[in-house]
Amino acid sequence: MIRISNIKIGINKVVARDAERQALQNALLSRIEISPKDLIDFKIFKKSIDARKKDAIVYIYTIDANVKNEKYILKKHGKKDVAITPDLSYRGVRPGNQRLAERPVIIGMGPAGLFAGLTLAKNGYEPIILERGDDVDTRAAKIDAFWETGILDTKSNVQFGEGGAGTFSDGKLTTLINDNRCRTILEAFIEAGAPEEILYLSKPHIGTDLLRETVKNIRKAIISHGGEVRFQSKVTDFIIKDGHLNALIVNDKEELPCQIALLGIGHSARDTFEALHLRGIEMSPKPFSIGVRIEHPQEIIDRAQYGDSAGHPGLVAADYKLSYHSSNERSAYTFCMCPGGYVVAATSEEKGVVTNGMSEHQRNGKNANAALLVGVQPSDFGSEHPLAGVAFQRKWERLAFQLGGENYHAPAQLVGDFLADQPSTKWGNVKPTYKPGLAFAQLKECLPDYVIETMKEALVYFDTKIDGFAMPDSIMTGVETRSSSPVRINRDENNGSNIKGLYPMGEGAGYAGGIMSSAVDGLKTAEKLMQKYAPFK
């Protein structure tokens, strides 16, 4: 096949899928100067939007085409925009020959655990996955109940359960890593029911509604290939003998013999961090970020990004990504932006308030939201203890809980009042989406002074980039503290920890940041295991 890049199609031509394909075919035939009979087939490899000229917004495509007389076309048109399609297929690793005494165990069923489990299962290693929370359907019902009633289940919530924290988010699949495994991950998601467009969109997302069914189907695939999944199975201790993992204690009572355990525990498994620390695994505090969720009308963001084309049926809900370096040497940025989404209650501990963002696949909610965060360093934590970052998070979450009324309502303040350093008293044109509810409060009472000052500067600056970002009645909801893990569990070049048999991986261990990078890290950790050991069966 040949790859043709930089094909531009105006938004008026892509409203319907059939119209888009016809427009692409016409552009393709014109670019490489062939007739329809010489075009066997084609598919989209990449699709992005260029909205720099608001009056001439276009989609930019890269197309892979199967054509007759390929060598002639390459000779005639061969340049940077016309070339042979590279081979991006995934190549597995050669299995090792050491024998496992027991089936490998994966702790946690977020992206890292899911894709480590899927890889091992497909290659005959019969993994056992231990997930402390519920299956995704049971979990969703408990989360809905929490959002409606304020009754929290600490075992099964937005942080814990099948699919991990990303299942109740926007389902973003963007990543900064450049790894062919990313395509393998996307193909697995599609095989499990995700829309095919995630393979070529420059900013792919699945949406929480579709992601729930997708992770369920990945679980079914793991089981069909010989894996086992156990829900409500929290690892509460690790039996270590002579520096080697010997067994796991599950739910404080069952002893599960275990030679190999992959730690995909997620960034909120604070009790597991503590258990690992007590058993001597080497770890250290790491930087992360804290702040709030900021909420605007989606139409404001669409207008800022698309101009008069906002609302055009050929355009998706607009997003943004902003950053600012402040006068106090702190950095602020927006994170996990959810077009047409909702601000959600995401705590996993009693007496704490944590916020996050969520969107469904269509992203058709009235509001846009994003985390507005400020970086914090281990030097801010007040201690050199490896888990000092956890204590730091918990401090601000509990203050937010108190400010909200100690019923999981979150403290909130309008941007205009935040900048004026005064409490809010009523909502403006922006209606909040957070459940179970909000309480007006001054956010400076549940965040550090340097975070407050940096956010104030950033709001003013971001308003120069997106007109209306600092609109007075947009809503700031506190607090967001789980942007990434506060801990890094040390590992070597083979992804092993100082405790032989324990393999830290994913976001919780400090080696990823999001669904895609976590999934890739899980796959890579599975490969490390496979290179050393023979299939179990």
Side-chain angles (χ1 to χ4, degrees), residues 466-500:
I466 294 180
D467 187 26
F469 195 90
M471 59 184 290
D473 53 355
S474 52
I475 302 167
M476 300 171 70
T477 304
V479 291
E480 176 140 348
T481 52
R482 311 282 180 94
S483 58
S484 67
S485 181
V487 172
R488 176 166 286 112
I489 303 176
N490 299 350
R491 69 184 188 187
D492 59 24
E493 66 277 4
N494 293 313
N495 289 20
S497 73
N498 63 302
I499 303 296
K500 302 301 181 184

Side-chain angles (χ1 to χ4, degrees), residues 96-102 259-260 532-537:
N97 53 23
Q98 292 189 40
R99 290 290 173 184
L100 288 165
E102 298 92 18
Q259 178 186 358
I260 298 293
K532 183 175 183 179
Y533 296 100
F536 187 80
K537 187 173 182 179

Side-chain angles (χ1 to χ4, degrees), residues 344-409:
V344 300
T347 190
S348 56
E349 287 186 342
E350 293 180 343
K351 298 183 179 180
V353 162
V354 180
T355 64
N356 198 5
M358 182 179 82
S359 293
E360 295 182 337
H361 180 68
Q362 292 298 324
R363 289 176 162 174
N364 55 4
K366 290 186 177 181
N367 288 2
N369 75 79
L372 174 57
L373 301 178
V374 175
V376 293
Q377 301 291 326
S379 58
D380 297 314
F381 301 161
S383 167
E384 295 183 358
H385 191 280
L387 300 180
V390 171
F392 183 83
Q393 289 175 325
R394 188 176 282 141
K395 171 185 176 179
W396 306 110
E397 292 168 10
R398 291 186 171 178
L399 285 172
F401 179 75
Q402 295 167 14
L403 280 177
E406 300 188 346
N407 54 4
Y408 299 103
H409 288 208

Side-chain angles (χ1 to χ4, degrees), residues 21 99 107 128 146 149 236 332 354 365 378 427 445 448 475 527:
R21 185 165 180 83
R99 290 290 173 184
I107 305 173
I128 299 171
F146 171 51
T149 67
T236 50
V354 180
W427 305 117
E445 296 180 30
I475 302 167
E527 290 175 345

